[in-house]
């Protein structure tokens, strides 16, 4: 199950951020470009618990938007969350929605660093937009793509266990139970800590081997830097291309932002209307009752204070440690440099259970 879910992550979730980065940087309408980038980045900062709650709500057989749409087409409601055949698809799409924008930042930064002279020379030679993307943009970001691919290969045996724990249930164990959740149940539910640790260490070891092997077989290329138009005449083909990119950006933004918009209007609507599935595009019977109840609970403020403390403290410690290690490991004459480098990244592939 771990390998199959990770396989779909690489096949679907790995290339989409690359395509998104190319699309965003090729949009000449800067407002649409920035809005698309912001819209696709926003889901990354939504809590996994909230995201899983939205998925369950959207796929509810009685009040879910998806099933309501199917019923209007004359199709019987589908119990998505209890049918094993739908789990991997649901998890993959959810992960793609939440992480595509954030993962594309690396590729956008790489594209923005490409030398404009390369695009100017291509323009002089009569190259179109597609030819520039194919022969300049893609080759220039290839080293970044290779590096990210190596890291993703290392994560083949490490799947986001939090979302799995929140979405799976006994009826879907056959396709959703991964190494992390299995070792979690062994250790915390069955009290078998020895076996749980062994399973976790085995997972980390396999991940390390995969990273080393994939890194050996992936070549490295020099980085290049980005383009701009310098007052040249834009042809009809390029105008159509720009219009297509703008429309694509708007459509992507709508699709990505709708779940967040739905969560917002649902929180501002009377609970009865949300439960009946009548809240889809607008607020029904405006109320702030949910927010009043949340603010009235002391636990909410304690949780916020803890989150801010752990985040701030964690970032400071992480930055101090990472900067110190990076400086030390940058010294080629450092004794046992390769061993220390390997040692610092090894725990990256430990699952949460271990």
């Amino acid at each position: 199950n771990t390998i199959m879910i990770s396989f779909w992550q690489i096949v679907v979730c790995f290339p989409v951020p690359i395509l998104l980065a190319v699309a965003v940087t090729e949009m000449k309408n800067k407002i649409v470009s920035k809005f698309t980038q912001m819209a696709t980045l926003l889901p990354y900062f939504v809590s996994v618990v909230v995201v899983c709650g939205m998925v369950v709500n959207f796929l509810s057989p009685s009040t879910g938007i998806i099933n309501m749409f199917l019923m209007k087409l004359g199709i019987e409601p589908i119990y998505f969350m209890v049918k094993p055949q739908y789990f991997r698809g649901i998890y993959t799409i959810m992960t793609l929605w939440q992480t595509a924008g954030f993962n594309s930042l690396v590729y956008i930064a790489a594209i923005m660093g490409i030398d404009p002279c390369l695009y100017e020379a291509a323009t002089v030679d009569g190259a179109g937009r597609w030819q520039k993307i194919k022969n300049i943009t893609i080759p220039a970001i290839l080293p970044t793509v290779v590096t990210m691919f190596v890291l993703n290969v290392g994560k083949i045996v490490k799947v986001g266990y939090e979302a799995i724990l929140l979405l799976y249930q006994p009826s879907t164990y056959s396709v959703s139970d991964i190494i992390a959740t299995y070792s979690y149940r062994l250790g915390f539910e069955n009290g078998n800590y020895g076996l749980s640790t062994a399973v976790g260490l085995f997972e980390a070891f396999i991940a390390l081997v995969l990273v080393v092997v994939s890194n050996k077989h992936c070549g490295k290329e020099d980085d290049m830097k980005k383009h701009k138009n310098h007052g040249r005449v834009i042809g009809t083909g390029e105008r159509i291309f720009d219009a297509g990119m703008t429309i694509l950006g708007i459509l992507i933004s709508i699709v990505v932002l709708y779940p967040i918009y739905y969560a917002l209007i649902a929180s501002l609507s009377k609970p009865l209307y949300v439960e009946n599935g009548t809240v889809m595009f607008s607020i029904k019977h405006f109320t702030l009752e949910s927010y009043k109840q949340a603010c009235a609970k002391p636990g909410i403020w304690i949780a916020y204070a803890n989150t801010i403390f752990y985040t701030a403290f964690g970032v400071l410690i992480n930055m101090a440690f990472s900067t110190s290690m990076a400086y030390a490991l940058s010294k080629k004459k450092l004794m046992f440099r390769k061993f220390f480098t390997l040692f610092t990244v090894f725990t990256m592939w430990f699952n949460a259970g271990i």
Side-chain angles (χ1 to χ4, degrees), residues 18-28 30 33 37 104 107-112 119 129 133 137 226-227 241 245:
I18 301 172
L19 300 176
L20 178 62
V22 172
V24 166
T25 53
E26 288 295 330
M27 292 176 191
K28 296 305 172 189
K30 294 304 178 185
S33 176
Q37 189 175 345
S104 70
Y107 305 111
I108 291 173
I111 293 172
M112 296 300 289
Y119 291 95
R129 296 282 283 279
I133 292 172
T137 305
K226 190 180 175 167
H227 79 282
F241 182 91
M245 287 291 101

Side-chain angles (χ1 to χ4, degrees), residues 43-312:
Y44 184 80
F45 300 102
V46 179
S47 166
V48 175
V49 178
V50 176
V51 173
C52 291
M54 288 194 292
V55 169
V56 172
N57 193 301
F58 274 44
L59 299 177
S60 168
S62 56
T63 60
I65 292 174
I66 304 299
N67 274 309
M68 289 178 67
F69 179 73
L70 292 177
M71 284 189 282
K72 287 184 178 180
L73 296 176
I75 302 173
E76 288 293 317
I78 301 172
Y79 289 74
F80 289 101
M81 301 309 297
V82 298
K83 291 184 180 287
Q85 63 266 36
Y86 295 114
F87 184 86
R88 288 172 183 163
I90 291 169
Y91 180 79
T92 301
I93 293 171
M94 184 193 77
T95 304
L96 177 65
W97 175 79
Q98 189 175 23
T99 62
F102 183 81
N103 291 338
S104 70
L105 291 179
V106 176
Y107 305 111
I108 291 173
I111 293 172
M112 296 300 289
I114 301 174
D115 189 348
C117 295
L118 296 171
Y119 291 95
E120 291 170 3
T123 301
V124 172
D125 289 340
R129 296 282 283 279
W130 286 114
Q131 290 175 312
K132 291 177 187 177
I133 292 172
K134 177 184 175 184
N135 297 307
I136 299 176
T137 305
I138 300 300
I141 66 172
L142 198 56
T144 305
V145 173
V146 169
T147 301
M148 298 304 293
F149 179 76
V150 169
L151 292 174
N152 275 274
V153 167
K155 294 177 183 177
I156 281 181
V157 290
K158 184 182 179 182
V159 180
Y161 80 101
E162 302 100 327
I164 300 285
L165 276 175
L166 292 166
L167 291 177
Y168 81 159
Q169 46 192 300
S171 63
T172 59
Y173 276 179
S174 60
V175 295
S176 63
D177 199 17
I178 58 173
I179 295 175
T181 55
Y182 179 68
S183 61
Y184 167 81
R185 288 206 314 278
L186 280 176
F188 289 95
E189 293 183 9
N190 299 333
N192 196 338
Y193 298 107
L195 182 56
S196 177
T197 304
V199 171
L201 283 173
F202 176 75
E203 176 188 8
F205 176 75
I206 295 297
L208 177 64
V209 171
L210 288 170
V211 168
V212 173
V213 171
S214 59
N215 191 44
K216 290 283 185 186
H217 287 81
C218 289
K220 304 212 170 183
E221 298 176 23
D222 294 328
D223 289 321
M224 303 191 295
K225 304 194 182 211
K226 190 180 175 167
H227 79 282
K228 285 180 183 174
N229 291 319
H230 291 283
R232 64 186 181 81
V233 177
I234 300 176
T236 305
E238 293 219 5
R239 291 182 186 277
I240 295 173
F241 182 91
D242 290 341
M245 287 291 101
T246 301
I247 294 170
L248 178 64
I250 293 171
L251 291 175
I252 290 173
S253 301
I254 292 172
V255 170
V256 171
L257 286 178
Y258 177 73
I260 299 175
Y261 170 74
Y262 173 81
L264 177 63
I265 61 174
S267 68
L268 295 172
S269 300
K270 199 171 181 178
L272 178 64
Y273 293 98
V274 178
E275 292 167 7
N276 292 339
T278 54
V279 177
M280 294 183 69
F281 301 107
S282 61
I283 297 171
K284 299 290 184 182
H285 200 286
F286 177 81
T287 177
L288 292 174
E289 193 59 35
S290 297
Y291 292 94
K292 289 177 181 177
Q293 290 179 11
C295 292
K297 292 181 180 295
I300 290 285
W301 303 108
I302 294 172
Y304 272 123
N306 289 337
T307 302
I308 293 170
F309 172 77
Y310 290 134
T311 301

